Amino acid sequence: YRLVKHCAISIFLTACHTLINRMEYFFYVIKTKKSTFMANMSKATQNYTRITTRTLAELKAKGEKIAMLTAYDFTMAGIVDKAGIDVILVGDSASNVMAGHETTLPITLDQMIYHAASVVRGVERALVVVDLPFGTYQADSKEALRSAIRIMKEAGAHAVKLEGGSQIQDSIERILKAGIPVMGHLGLTPQSIYKFGTYSVRAKEEEEAEQLLKDAQMLEKSGCFGIVVEKIPAKLAEKVTQTVNIPVIGIGAGAQVDGQVLVLNDMLGMNKEFSPRFLRRYLDLDGAISNAVQEYTTDVKKQDFPNDKEQY
Ligand code: KIV
């Protein structure tokens, strides 16, 4: 009996030992992977405590890609910033993903300032670019400048983005003259959706492609620090990138550009209905949130939450 007991104890101890070793190895792998990730991320980040428009020019010159994402609130902006993103765009896509509008047209300047100010409060390192919403810069350049000044002053933004080329050249130049950095936006410009009638790929025809290239050159000459090109053929985006010396950031514009931008909610998988070809989902946040809410609801109903330790 004593021999059997002795054997059982040693088998049990060996099993425990093996289990502890395995767990130690598991945590070691996780830790190493995390630090490798941090080391990779910091290649771009370490050198810059604050990303500026100048940094973006340096990144283009070095051939290092620029990573840009949208954000609309303090909490998400803080997470995205700490993860090492270069540029945060407070896009007027807030009109769709935050407010549930069908287009970007309804969002107002006051609402954009509210989102932008929340984002700026959460950001320590990234460059924060804010969209001028529809109707705040097209009528005349003085109104455009007034709108841009409000965004810079009231939200604390670092730069503004405007959709369009030669049609809004006056507005762009007036804003730039006031010392406000401007980012252009060509190709699919969602504020003009009712003119296009569709969200499909732009500038497939030669005439439109030539105009887009001219507009990009005009934006560079005027003094814009960068251009977003949305949903245009990859070859055209590559040509624009090679033609201008300012960074060209693509969305649905292929890989041969200086950087990429995506709408945060789309890349986190918060919107299952929106599935364009260019979108890569990095998370199923819709599924994760839904599971968490279901679990919580069940726990509340069966009086499992809160337990004794979760109360005062
Ligand atoms: O508003 C937005 O999110 C944008 C990006 C799609 C570039 O303009």
Side-chain angles (χ1 to χ4, degrees):
Y1 169 73
R2 281 174 73 185
L3 185 65
V4 170
K5 195 177 155 193
H6 183 76
C7 284
I9 290 174
S10 16
I11 289 170
F12 175 71
L13 288 176
T14 316
C16 285
H17 189 246
T18 314
L19 187 67
I20 289 168
N21 276 348
R22 287 269 156 86
M23 280 175 74
E24 267 175 8
Y25 178 68
F26 173 72
F27 286 119
Y28 166 76
V29 169
I30 300 256
K31 213 173 133 191
T32 318
K33 276 200 168 162
K34 198 176 164 205
S35 48
T36 314
F37 165 77
M38 297 299 275
N40 284 342
M41 185 210 84
S42 58
K43 262 184 215 152
T45 340
Q46 253 171 15
N47 304 334
Y48 304 103
T49 48
R50 186 102 231 187
I51 303 287
T52 65
T53 55
R54 211 186 151 116
T55 319
L56 301 188
E58 282 170 20
L59 293 179
K60 171 156 181 151
K62 283 198 278 183
E64 185 176 318
K65 300 288 181 189
I66 297 162
M68 174 164 161
L69 280 172
T70 66
Y72 316 98
D73 68 88
F74 170 81
T75 307
M76 284 297 217
I79 296 172
V80 170
D81 184 50
K82 284 185 189 71
I85 201 76
D86 297 313
V87 185
I88 292 182
L89 171 68
V90 185
D92 58 357
S93 48
S95 179
N96 310 108
V97 298
M98 292 284 112
H101 292 297
E102 208 179 302
T103 72
T104 57
L105 276 69
I107 199 158
T108 65
L109 187 56
D110 284 337
Q111 288 165 343
M112 285 302 294
I113 289 171
Y114 169 78
H115 285 295
S118 311
V119 165
V120 168
R121 283 193 287 272
V123 169
E124 285 173 6
R125 180 186 156 275
L127 181 81
V128 180
V129 182
V130 181
D131 268 338
L132 280 190
F134 176 70
T136 65
Y137 61 96
Q138 293 92 344
D140 69 72
S141 62
K142 279 191 187 158
E143 191 189 2
L145 177 57
R146 269 195 295 273
S147 308
I149 288 176
R150 279 199 63 200
I151 286 187
M152 300 299 284
K153 226 179 164 73
E154 294 176 40
H158 308 143
V160 295
K161 176 164 82 60
L162 282 72
E163 293 184 6
S166 51
Q167 333 81 283
I168 54 156
Q169 188 172 353
D170 285 355
S171 295
I172 290 172
E173 285 175 351
R174 195 179 271 260
I175 296 171
L176 282 162
K177 267 193 207 128
I180 299 172
V182 174
M183 182 168 224
H185 183 152
L186 301 173
L188 176 66
T189 46
Q191 291 179 13
S192 309
I193 184 58
Y194 290 117
K195 179 178 150 198
F196 299 145
T198 159
Y199 286 104
S200 56
V201 180
R202 302 300 317 168
K204 286 208 279 194
E205 307 301 330
E206 203 164 316
E207 201 180 325
E208 195 181 337
E210 268 173 26
Q211 185 56 50
L212 191 144
L213 197 58
K214 277 192 202 145
D215 282 341
Q217 287 170 306
M218 178 280 288
L219 292 174
E220 178 182 29
K221 211 163 157 225
S222 299
C224 290
F225 71 88
I227 306 170
V228 165
V229 287
E230 180 165 353
K231 248 186 158 180
I232 61 170
K235 279 263 166 281
L236 175 61
E238 183 178 359
K239 196 167 175 192
V240 174
T241 307
Q242 286 168 355
T243 306
V244 299
N245 285 313
I246 53 175
V248 175
I249 313 290
I251 172 164
Q256 303 311 316
V257 285
D258 301 308
Q260 299 292 331
V261 56
L262 283 176
V263 168
L264 184 66
N265 299 44
D266 298 340
M267 63 84 79
L268 292 180
M270 294 175 88
N271 178 3
K272 285 200 171 127
E273 284 80 53
F274 185 64
S275 257
R277 194 199 307 188
F278 67 78
L279 176 63
R280 185 180 293 180
R281 287 202 178 89
Y282 287 82
L283 210 60
D284 173 19
L285 205 49
D286 177 308
I289 293 174
S290 173
N291 286 344
V293 172
Q294 282 174 30
E295 246 182 77
Y296 165 76
T297 306
T298 308
D299 287 354
V300 170
K301 303 266 181 207
K302 66 179 194 207
Q303 298 184 33
D304 180 63
F305 174 80
N307 63 25
D308 290 348
K309 288 190 196 133
E310 290 163 331
Q311 54 189 286
Y312 302 101

